[in-house]
Structure formats: C-alpha cells, structure tokens
Amino acid sequence: MGATCVLMASVLWGTTGTAATFAPAVGPLAIGAVAMGLGGLLQALIAAPSIRREAPRLRAHRGVALLGALSVGAYPLAFYTSMHLAGVAVGTVVSIGSAPLASALIERVVDGRRLTHRWMAGAALGLSGTVLLCTAEAADAHSGPGARSAGETVLGVGLGLVAGLTYALYSWAAHRLISRGVTSGAAMGTVFGLGGLLLMPVLLATGAPLLASWSNAAVGAYMALVPMFLGYFLFGWGLAHVPASTATTLSLLEPAVAAVLAVLVVGERLPLVGWAGIALVVGCLAVLTTPTRTTHRPRGLTTDQSTGAEVSGLADPGHGPEKVGTG
C-alpha cells in the first residue's frame, strides 16, 4: 500500500511539465510558488484539526519540522529554475535522480542505516534508466534552435542537485515525524503548510502572469490542487509505510511519466534509447515493490502488511537502507 501511494503520487507529479506548457508566459518561480505554496497551505488547512491535537508532539520535534519546511520552500524554486536553465529533461533527471542517493546518505548518517542489496539493485536500474531518458531528450532538444549556454546548463545542474537534496530532506523530515508518532496528515500539513507560508512572498512578487488569463489561472489551480495537494497527500501515506530512501527511489517514475505525456499530449518525439530508459525505470519499480517471499519466519519476526516486507531487528531485504546496530 505504501509503495502504491508513492507511485500514484509520482504519476501525478509527472503531469506538471505538460501542464506548464499550457501557461508559457508564467515563469518558473511563479509555477513553483503557486504549486507548492498554495498546495502546502491547503494541506495544512485540511489537516488543521490533526495539527491542533498533535501540537505538543510537533513542538517536541520542531527542529525536524522546521528543516522540512525550509526544504519545501527551497525545493520548487530550485527545481523549476533548474528545468528553465538546463532544460526539462536534464533538470528533471538531475533533481529527481539525485534524491534517492541524497536520501540514502541522510538515512545512513543520521539514522545509522546501511543499504540493502535489493535497494542498490533497484536504484541502479532506476538511475540508469533516468540517465538514458535524459540523454535521449537532451539530444532531441539540442538538435534544433534554442541551444543553451554552458554556464546556464552548469547552473541548472547545480540547482537540480539542490532540488534533489531538499526533496530528500523534506521526505526524511516527514518520515521522521511519522515514525515518532505524528500522523501522516499532521506531519505533512505542518511541514508543507510552513513551507507554503515561506513561498507566499515569492508568489506575490512573481505570480501576476497567473492572473493574466483564464488558462494561466487554470494551470496554477491544477498544479496546486492535483499534483501538489493530492500528490503529496498520497506521498504522506506512503512515507508512513516505506523509508524515505525507498519513496524517493520510487519517485523515479515521475520523469518517465513526464516523457510519455510529452509524446502523447505535447507531440514530442522520444528516441528508442529513451524508451529503453523507461523500461529500466519500470524494472526498478518492479524490484522495489515485489514482496519478498519467505518459507521460514524466525521467532519474533513480523510482516509489514502494506508491503509484504519482513520487519525485525534483522535487515529489511526489500525496502531501502537497513538499521545498523539493531537486533
């Protein structure tokens, strides 16, 4: 169930690039601010009763909540500007592709987890697929006019790495709050609500084009309500059942969905190597979501009903890094 929720969220996130093509006059900062800003405030509004009930527990972990909120505020600005400077393909792949590695590093350093062979295999497939997809789309983009300067590309890649790190940080922060007894609604509402407040000045400064036409306003409303509000609602449910590193790895589905929609809706063409990349991403998802079958369950071993993964002081064989020093 947790992996399914993350995959559904990734499908919704994959629609943002296609949606943005219907509002070409709206800049990347405005798109990011309206999507994460309004979407985050709406999450906080819906979760307000839970946030009030769990306020003491949230205050006890206010440092984690604040780190998550700062990351939410920074992520869309870095992500959409990265796509604007380096191109949609490169910006998306660097941002989303670097997040699983950042998540694994955070969990290793902060939580004392080590990587399982299954996670590494899935991550290798997924990252290989996104690199192939990026190569195919970038080659197609540079075959025509509008080539970018080296400086713009380097800056875009750098901002993509910032986006990947902040995505990993707010995913880890939300998972940390949930693992400390905060419900997913209260955790996501707090982190994204505070992050949304941080984005409001950016929206006020850059959001005028969103009101210039009904189509621009419709794109802004869609971005805030569907991929961001509904998508991160599903992502929060997923984080309650899988580690942040697994969730960010599963979200490698996002650039694959974006590429397919670009072909079907926008009319772009995807070379064969791009389809091969999508196939590798699907293979990554299969590796990470297939339940582990066991014929013998030692005493004291339980099963995570949402994923079929075994849970104990031993290594979790299928879902991301395992805890060091337990069992």
Side-chain angles (χ1 to χ4, degrees), residues 2-50:
T4 301
C5 287
V6 174
L7 291 175
M8 291 172 63
S10 300
V11 170
L12 295 180
W13 296 337
T15 67
T16 58
T18 298
T21 63
F22 293 96
V26 182
L29 295 181
I31 288 289
V34 72
M36 295 287 275
L38 294 186
L41 292 178
L42 184 57
Q43 282 203 53
L45 180 63
I46 298 298
S50 298

mmCIF file of all heavy atoms in Angstrom, residues 2-50:
data_model
loop_
_atom_site.group_PDB
_atom_site.id
_atom_site.type_symbol
_atom_site.label_atom_id
_atom_site.label_comp_id
_atom_site.label_asym_id
_atom_site.label_seq_id
_atom_site.Cartn_x
_atom_site.Cartn_y
_atom_site.Cartn_z
ATOM 1 N N GLY A 2 1.938 1.270 0.811
ATOM 2 C CA GLY A 2 2.788 2.445 0.863
ATOM 3 C C GLY A 2 3.455 2.723 -0.462
ATOM 4 O O GLY A 2 3.473 3.858 -0.945
ATOM 5 N N ALA A 3 4.017 1.677 -1.093
ATOM 6 C CA ALA A 3 4.665 1.847 -2.391
ATOM 7 C C ALA A 3 3.671 2.285 -3.449
ATOM 8 O O ALA A 3 3.975 3.127 -4.307
ATOM 9 C CB ALA A 3 5.347 0.542 -2.804
ATOM 10 N N THR A 4 2.452 1.750 -3.402
ATOM 11 C CA THR A 4 1.426 2.125 -4.373
ATOM 12 C C THR A 4 1.087 3.604 -4.265
ATOM 13 O O THR A 4 0.934 4.300 -5.277
ATOM 14 C CB THR A 4 0.158 1.278 -4.158
ATOM 15 O OG1 THR A 4 0.486 -0.108 -4.302
ATOM 16 C CG2 THR A 4 -0.922 1.652 -5.156
ATOM 17 N N CYS A 5 0.970 4.107 -3.041
ATOM 18 C CA CYS A 5 0.667 5.529 -2.846
ATOM 19 C C CYS A 5 1.778 6.411 -3.415
ATOM 20 O O CYS A 5 1.501 7.437 -4.052
ATOM 21 C CB CYS A 5 0.469 5.835 -1.364
ATOM 22 S SG CYS A 5 -1.074 5.209 -0.672
ATOM 23 N N VAL A 6 3.031 6.022 -3.195
ATOM 24 C CA VAL A 6 4.148 6.804 -3.732
ATOM 25 C C VAL A 6 4.132 6.782 -5.253
ATOM 26 O O VAL A 6 4.368 7.807 -5.910
ATOM 27 C CB VAL A 6 5.487 6.278 -3.186
ATOM 28 C CG1 VAL A 6 6.658 7.003 -3.851
ATOM 29 C CG2 VAL A 6 5.565 6.463 -1.676
ATOM 30 N N LEU A 7 3.854 5.624 -5.847
ATOM 31 C CA LEU A 7 3.800 5.528 -7.301
ATOM 32 C C LEU A 7 2.663 6.373 -7.871
ATOM 33 O O LEU A 7 2.826 7.035 -8.908
ATOM 34 C CB LEU A 7 3.634 4.066 -7.724
ATOM 35 C CG LEU A 7 4.838 3.168 -7.461
ATOM 36 C CD1 LEU A 7 4.508 1.720 -7.819
ATOM 37 C CD2 LEU A 7 6.058 3.638 -8.242
ATOM 38 N N MET A 8 1.504 6.387 -7.203
ATOM 39 C CA MET A 8 0.397 7.228 -7.657
ATOM 40 C C MET A 8 0.772 8.705 -7.578
ATOM 41 O O MET A 8 0.455 9.499 -8.484
ATOM 42 C CB MET A 8 -0.850 6.944 -6.814
ATOM 43 C CG MET A 8 -1.455 5.573 -7.044
ATOM 44 S SD MET A 8 -2.783 5.176 -5.870
ATOM 45 C CE MET A 8 -3.982 6.452 -6.267
ATOM 46 N N ALA A 9 1.459 9.082 -6.498
ATOM 47 C CA ALA A 9 1.908 10.468 -6.379
ATOM 48 C C ALA A 9 2.883 10.814 -7.505
ATOM 49 O O ALA A 9 2.817 11.907 -8.091
ATOM 50 C CB ALA A 9 2.580 10.683 -5.022
ATOM 51 N N SER A 10 3.784 9.900 -7.836
ATOM 52 C CA SER A 10 4.765 10.151 -8.891
ATOM 53 C C SER A 10 4.097 10.335 -10.243
ATOM 54 O O SER A 10 4.542 11.147 -11.061
ATOM 55 C CB SER A 10 5.765 8.992 -8.955
ATOM 56 O OG SER A 10 6.447 8.844 -7.729
ATOM 57 N N VAL A 11 3.032 9.582 -10.503
ATOM 58 C CA VAL A 11 2.282 9.754 -11.749
ATOM 59 C C VAL A 11 1.699 11.166 -11.814
ATOM 60 O O VAL A 11 1.781 11.852 -12.848
ATOM 61 C CB VAL A 11 1.174 8.694 -11.866
ATOM 62 C CG1 VAL A 11 0.248 9.016 -13.038
ATOM 63 C CG2 VAL A 11 1.779 7.307 -12.052
ATOM 64 N N LEU A 12 1.126 11.635 -10.705
ATOM 65 C CA LEU A 12 0.559 12.990 -10.686
ATOM 66 C C LEU A 12 1.655 14.035 -10.863
ATOM 67 O O LEU A 12 1.476 15.017 -11.603
ATOM 68 C CB LEU A 12 -0.190 13.222 -9.374
ATOM 69 C CG LEU A 12 -1.428 12.356 -9.143
ATOM 70 C CD1 LEU A 12 -2.069 12.690 -7.796
ATOM 71 C CD2 LEU A 12 -2.443 12.550 -10.263
ATOM 72 N N TRP A 13 2.794 13.854 -10.206
ATOM 73 C CA TRP A 13 3.902 14.814 -10.365
ATOM 74 C C TRP A 13 4.397 14.841 -11.798
ATOM 75 O O TRP A 13 4.844 15.874 -12.293
ATOM 76 C CB TRP A 13 5.050 14.445 -9.430
ATOM 77 C CG TRP A 13 4.702 14.535 -7.980
ATOM 78 C CD1 TRP A 13 3.708 15.284 -7.413
ATOM 79 C CD2 TRP A 13 5.340 13.837 -6.908
ATOM 80 N NE1 TRP A 13 3.686 15.089 -6.057
ATOM 81 C CE2 TRP A 13 4.670 14.211 -5.725
ATOM 82 C CE3 TRP A 13 6.401 12.939 -6.833
ATOM 83 C CZ2 TRP A 13 5.038 13.722 -4.467
ATOM 84 C CZ3 TRP A 13 6.774 12.443 -5.596
ATOM 85 C CH2 TRP A 13 6.098 12.826 -4.430
ATOM 86 N N GLY A 14 4.330 13.702 -12.476
ATOM 87 C CA GLY A 14 4.808 13.644 -13.855
ATOM 88 C C GLY A 14 3.985 14.459 -14.827
ATOM 89 O O GLY A 14 4.411 14.697 -15.960
ATOM 90 N N THR A 15 2.801 14.926 -14.401
ATOM 91 C CA THR A 15 1.957 15.731 -15.284
ATOM 92 C C THR A 15 2.305 17.215 -15.238
ATOM 93 O O THR A 15 1.790 17.994 -16.046
ATOM 94 C CB THR A 15 0.473 15.578 -14.902
ATOM 95 O OG1 THR A 15 0.237 16.158 -13.604
ATOM 96 C CG2 THR A 15 0.057 14.114 -14.864
ATOM 97 N N THR A 16 3.175 17.639 -14.304
ATOM 98 C CA THR A 16 3.402 19.076 -14.123
ATOM 99 C C THR A 16 4.071 19.724 -15.332
ATOM 100 O O THR A 16 3.732 20.849 -15.705
ATOM 101 C CB THR A 16 4.254 19.335 -12.868
ATOM 102 O OG1 THR A 16 5.498 18.632 -12.979
ATOM 103 C CG2 THR A 16 3.530 18.859 -11.616
ATOM 104 N N GLY A 17 5.044 19.026 -15.939
ATOM 105 C CA GLY A 17 5.725 19.609 -17.090
ATOM 106 C C GLY A 17 4.778 19.834 -18.248
ATOM 107 O O GLY A 17 4.810 20.890 -18.895
ATOM 108 N N THR A 18 3.916 18.849 -18.518
ATOM 109 C CA THR A 18 2.940 19.006 -19.592
ATOM 110 C C THR A 18 1.950 20.119 -19.263
ATOM 111 O O THR A 18 1.602 20.931 -20.132
ATOM 112 C CB THR A 18 2.188 17.682 -19.816
ATOM 113 O OG1 THR A 18 3.126 16.681 -20.227
ATOM 114 C CG2 THR A 18 1.123 17.835 -20.878
ATOM 115 N N ALA A 19 1.504 20.180 -18.008
ATOM 116 C CA ALA A 19 0.572 21.241 -17.620
ATOM 117 C C ALA A 19 1.184 22.623 -17.800
ATOM 118 O O ALA A 19 0.515 23.566 -18.250
ATOM 119 C CB ALA A 19 0.131 21.040 -16.173
ATOM 120 N N ALA A 20 2.463 22.756 -17.467
ATOM 121 C CA ALA A 20 3.123 24.060 -17.561
ATOM 122 C C ALA A 20 3.206 24.557 -19.000
ATOM 123 O O ALA A 20 3.282 25.778 -19.232
ATOM 124 C CB ALA A 20 4.509 23.990 -16.945
ATOM 125 N N THR A 21 3.178 23.645 -19.983
ATOM 126 C CA THR A 21 3.246 24.077 -21.376
ATOM 127 C C THR A 21 2.009 24.863 -21.787
ATOM 128 O O THR A 21 2.040 25.580 -22.788
ATOM 129 C CB THR A 21 3.414 22.877 -22.326
ATOM 130 O OG1 THR A 21 2.267 22.017 -22.226
ATOM 131 C CG2 THR A 21 4.666 22.083 -21.977
ATOM 132 N N PHE A 22 0.920 24.741 -21.027
ATOM 133 C CA PHE A 22 -0.294 25.483 -21.330
ATOM 134 C C PHE A 22 -0.277 26.893 -20.738
ATOM 135 O O PHE A 22 -1.230 27.647 -20.923
ATOM 136 C CB PHE A 22 -1.526 24.714 -20.823
ATOM 137 C CG PHE A 22 -1.766 23.425 -21.546
ATOM 138 C CD1 PHE A 22 -1.311 22.224 -21.031
ATOM 139 C CD2 PHE A 22 -2.420 23.401 -22.768
ATOM 140 C CE1 PHE A 22 -1.520 21.026 -21.698
ATOM 141 C CE2 PHE A 22 -2.641 22.216 -23.450
ATOM 142 C CZ PHE A 22 -2.187 21.025 -22.913
ATOM 143 N N ALA A 23 0.796 27.248 -20.026
ATOM 144 C CA ALA A 23 0.954 28.600 -19.474
ATOM 145 C C ALA A 23 2.391 29.057 -19.708
ATOM 146 O O ALA A 23 3.154 29.262 -18.765
ATOM 147 C CB ALA A 23 0.608 28.618 -17.990
ATOM 148 N N PRO A 24 2.796 29.227 -20.971
ATOM 149 C CA PRO A 24 4.200 29.543 -21.266
ATOM 150 C C PRO A 24 4.645 30.903 -20.745
ATOM 151 O O PRO A 24 5.852 31.132 -20.593
ATOM 152 C CB PRO A 24 4.251 29.493 -22.798
ATOM 153 C CG PRO A 24 2.839 29.755 -23.238
ATOM 154 C CD PRO A 24 1.981 29.130 -22.185
ATOM 155 N N ALA A 25 3.706 31.821 -20.481
ATOM 156 C CA ALA A 25 4.083 33.152 -20.008
ATOM 157 C C ALA A 25 4.381 33.190 -18.518
ATOM 158 O O ALA A 25 4.871 34.197 -18.007
ATOM 159 C CB ALA A 25 2.969 34.150 -20.329
ATOM 160 N N VAL A 26 4.081 32.112 -17.806
ATOM 161 C CA VAL A 26 4.307 32.066 -16.351
ATOM 162 C C VAL A 26 5.709 31.558 -16.090
ATOM 163 O O VAL A 26 6.093 30.487 -16.570
ATOM 164 C CB VAL A 26 3.259 31.167 -15.660
ATOM 165 C CG1 VAL A 26 3.477 31.176 -14.155
ATOM 166 C CG2 VAL A 26 1.849 31.647 -15.998
ATOM 167 N N GLY A 27 6.494 32.298 -15.322
ATOM 168 C CA GLY A 27 7.880 31.945 -15.058
ATOM 169 C C GLY A 27 8.024 30.779 -14.097
ATOM 170 O O GLY A 27 7.068 30.396 -13.408
ATOM 171 N N PRO A 28 9.229 30.204 -14.009
ATOM 172 C CA PRO A 28 9.453 29.024 -13.159
ATOM 173 C C PRO A 28 9.257 29.301 -11.682
ATOM 174 O O PRO A 28 8.779 28.436 -10.950
ATOM 175 C CB PRO A 28 10.901 28.638 -13.471
ATOM 176 C CG PRO A 28 11.538 29.874 -14.002
ATOM 177 C CD PRO A 28 10.457 30.594 -14.740
ATOM 178 N N LEU A 29 9.622 30.514 -11.213
ATOM 179 C CA LEU A 29 9.436 30.814 -9.796
ATOM 180 C C LEU A 29 7.955 30.872 -9.447
ATOM 181 O O LEU A 29 7.528 30.388 -8.392
ATOM 182 C CB LEU A 29 10.124 32.131 -9.432
ATOM 183 C CG LEU A 29 11.649 32.163 -9.559
ATOM 184 C CD1 LEU A 29 12.184 33.522 -9.133
ATOM 185 C CD2 LEU A 29 12.292 31.060 -8.733
ATOM 186 N N ALA A 30 7.162 31.476 -10.335
ATOM 187 C CA ALA A 30 5.716 31.566 -10.084
ATOM 188 C C ALA A 30 5.071 30.185 -10.110
ATOM 189 O O ALA A 30 4.208 29.876 -9.268
ATOM 190 C CB ALA A 30 5.065 32.483 -11.115
ATOM 191 N N ILE A 31 5.480 29.335 -11.063
ATOM 192 C CA ILE A 31 4.932 27.976 -11.140
ATOM 193 C C ILE A 31 5.248 27.212 -9.857
ATOM 194 O O ILE A 31 4.384 26.559 -9.256
ATOM 195 C CB ILE A 31 5.493 27.233 -12.362
ATOM 196 C CG1 ILE A 31 4.891 27.776 -13.650
ATOM 197 C CG2 ILE A 31 5.231 25.739 -12.247
ATOM 198 C CD1 ILE A 31 3.432 27.436 -13.857
ATOM 199 N N GLY A 32 6.501 27.274 -9.424
ATOM 200 C CA GLY A 32 6.885 26.567 -8.208
ATOM 201 C C GLY A 32 6.179 27.095 -6.977
ATOM 202 O O GLY A 32 5.735 26.327 -6.116
ATOM 203 N N ALA A 33 6.060 28.427 -6.880
ATOM 204 C CA ALA A 33 5.437 29.023 -5.698
ATOM 205 C C ALA A 33 3.954 28.724 -5.625
ATOM 206 O O ALA A 33 3.422 28.437 -4.547
ATOM 207 C CB ALA A 33 5.685 30.533 -5.691
ATOM 208 N N VAL A 34 3.260 28.783 -6.758
ATOM 209 C CA VAL A 34 1.817 28.515 -6.720
ATOM 210 C C VAL A 34 1.549 27.042 -6.465
ATOM 211 O O VAL A 34 0.592 26.687 -5.755
ATOM 212 C CB VAL A 34 1.131 28.983 -8.024
ATOM 213 C CG1 VAL A 34 1.465 28.081 -9.204
ATOM 214 C CG2 VAL A 34 -0.385 29.050 -7.833
ATOM 215 N N ALA A 35 2.390 26.164 -7.015
ATOM 216 C CA ALA A 35 2.170 24.731 -6.844
ATOM 217 C C ALA A 35 2.416 24.302 -5.404
ATOM 218 O O ALA A 35 1.516 23.785 -4.722
ATOM 219 C CB ALA A 35 3.071 23.948 -7.805
ATOM 220 N N MET A 36 3.614 24.511 -4.915
ATOM 221 C CA MET A 36 3.966 24.065 -3.560
ATOM 222 C C MET A 36 3.399 25.001 -2.500
ATOM 223 O O MET A 36 3.079 24.555 -1.396
ATOM 224 C CB MET A 36 5.483 23.978 -3.419
ATOM 225 C CG MET A 36 6.133 22.935 -4.295
ATOM 226 S SD MET A 36 5.840 21.240 -3.761
ATOM 227 C CE MET A 36 7.147 21.029 -2.550
ATOM 228 N N GLY A 37 3.296 26.299 -2.823
ATOM 229 C CA GLY A 37 2.806 27.252 -1.834
ATOM 230 C C GLY A 37 1.327 27.046 -1.520
ATOM 231 O O GLY A 37 0.948 26.770 -0.380
ATOM 232 N N LEU A 38 0.482 27.180 -2.540
ATOM 233 C CA LEU A 38 -0.957 27.003 -2.308
ATOM 234 C C LEU A 38 -1.287 25.560 -1.962
ATOM 235 O O LEU A 38 -2.147 25.295 -1.113
ATOM 236 C CB LEU A 38 -1.736 27.443 -3.545
ATOM 237 C CG LEU A 38 -1.669 28.932 -3.895
ATOM 238 C CD1 LEU A 38 -2.597 29.244 -5.060
ATOM 239 C CD2 LEU A 38 -2.018 29.790 -2.683
ATOM 240 N N GLY A 39 -0.613 24.614 -2.616
ATOM 241 C CA GLY A 39 -0.850 23.209 -2.286
ATOM 242 C C GLY A 39 -0.488 22.901 -0.848
ATOM 243 O O GLY A 39 -1.197 22.162 -0.156
ATOM 244 N N GLY A 40 0.617 23.475 -0.368
ATOM 245 C CA GLY A 40 1.018 23.259 1.026
ATOM 246 C C GLY A 40 0.056 23.884 2.021
ATOM 247 O O GLY A 40 -0.281 23.268 3.042
ATOM 248 N N LEU A 41 -0.396 25.101 1.733
ATOM 249 C CA LEU A 41 -1.363 25.750 2.633
ATOM 250 C C LEU A 41 -2.675 24.977 2.678
ATOM 251 O O LEU A 41 -3.306 24.878 3.741
ATOM 252 C CB LEU A 41 -1.606 27.189 2.187
ATOM 253 C CG LEU A 41 -0.424 28.148 2.348
ATOM 254 C CD1 LEU A 41 -0.783 29.528 1.813
ATOM 255 C CD2 LEU A 41 0.005 28.241 3.808
ATOM 256 N N LEU A 42 -3.089 24.426 1.541
ATOM 257 C CA LEU A 42 -4.319 23.635 1.521
ATOM 258 C C LEU A 42 -4.146 22.366 2.354
ATOM 259 O O LEU A 42 -5.070 21.962 3.082
ATOM 260 C CB LEU A 42 -4.683 23.289 0.079
ATOM 261 C CG LEU A 42 -5.996 22.531 -0.123
ATOM 262 C CD1 LEU A 42 -7.159 23.306 0.479
ATOM 263 C CD2 LEU A 42 -6.240 22.288 -1.605
ATOM 264 N N GLN A 43 -2.974 21.739 2.279
ATOM 265 C CA GLN A 43 -2.728 20.569 3.124
ATOM 266 C C GLN A 43 -2.834 20.927 4.598
ATOM 267 O O GLN A 43 -3.400 20.181 5.399
ATOM 268 C CB GLN A 43 -1.332 20.009 2.834
ATOM 269 C CG GLN A 43 -1.245 19.187 1.575
ATOM 270 C CD GLN A 43 -0.079 18.221 1.618
ATOM 271 O OE1 GLN A 43 0.063 17.448 2.559
ATOM 272 N NE2 GLN A 43 0.752 18.258 0.606
ATOM 273 N N ALA A 44 -2.256 22.071 4.962
ATOM 274 C CA ALA A 44 -2.313 22.499 6.363
ATOM 275 C C ALA A 44 -3.749 22.781 6.793
ATOM 276 O O ALA A 44 -4.149 22.456 7.923
ATOM 277 C CB ALA A 44 -1.453 23.747 6.554
ATOM 278 N N LEU A 45 -4.539 23.379 5.900
ATOM 279 C CA LEU A 45 -5.937 23.679 6.226
ATOM 280 C C LEU A 45 -6.730 22.403 6.460
ATOM 281 O O LEU A 45 -7.486 22.291 7.433
ATOM 282 C CB LEU A 45 -6.555 24.495 5.090
ATOM 283 C CG LEU A 45 -8.021 24.894 5.261
ATOM 284 C CD1 LEU A 45 -8.189 25.809 6.464
ATOM 285 C CD2 LEU A 45 -8.542 25.577 4.002
ATOM 286 N N ILE A 46 -6.571 21.428 5.579
ATOM 287 C CA ILE A 46 -7.304 20.169 5.716
ATOM 288 C C ILE A 46 -6.868 19.425 6.980
ATOM 289 O O ILE A 46 -7.675 18.786 7.665
ATOM 290 C CB ILE A 46 -7.084 19.286 4.475
ATOM 291 C CG1 ILE A 46 -7.618 19.971 3.212
ATOM 292 C CG2 ILE A 46 -7.726 17.925 4.659
ATOM 293 C CD1 ILE A 46 -9.098 20.244 3.236
ATOM 294 N N ALA A 47 -5.577 19.523 7.300
ATOM 295 C CA ALA A 47 -5.030 18.787 8.450
ATOM 296 C C ALA A 47 -5.081 19.581 9.747
ATOM 297 O O ALA A 47 -4.563 19.103 10.768
ATOM 298 C CB ALA A 47 -3.587 18.384 8.165
ATOM 299 N N ALA A 48 -5.699 20.768 9.745
ATOM 300 C CA ALA A 48 -5.686 21.637 10.923
ATOM 301 C C ALA A 48 -6.177 20.953 12.197
ATOM 302 O O ALA A 48 -5.545 21.101 13.260
ATOM 303 C CB ALA A 48 -6.501 22.904 10.655
ATOM 304 N N PRO A 49 -7.280 20.190 12.178
ATOM 305 C CA PRO A 49 -7.704 19.509 13.419
ATOM 306 C C PRO A 49 -6.638 18.558 13.959
ATOM 307 O O PRO A 49 -6.382 18.520 15.171
ATOM 308 C CB PRO A 49 -8.968 18.754 12.993
ATOM 309 C CG PRO A 49 -9.484 19.512 11.810
ATOM 310 C CD PRO A 49 -8.268 19.985 11.093
ATOM 311 N N SER A 50 -6.002 17.789 13.056
ATOM 312 C CA SER A 50 -4.948 16.872 13.495
ATOM 313 C C SER A 50 -3.738 17.624 14.023
ATOM 314 O O SER A 50 -3.111 17.217 15.010
ATOM 315 C CB SER A 50 -4.511 15.962 12.336
ATOM 316 O OG SER A 50 -5.585 15.165 11.885
#
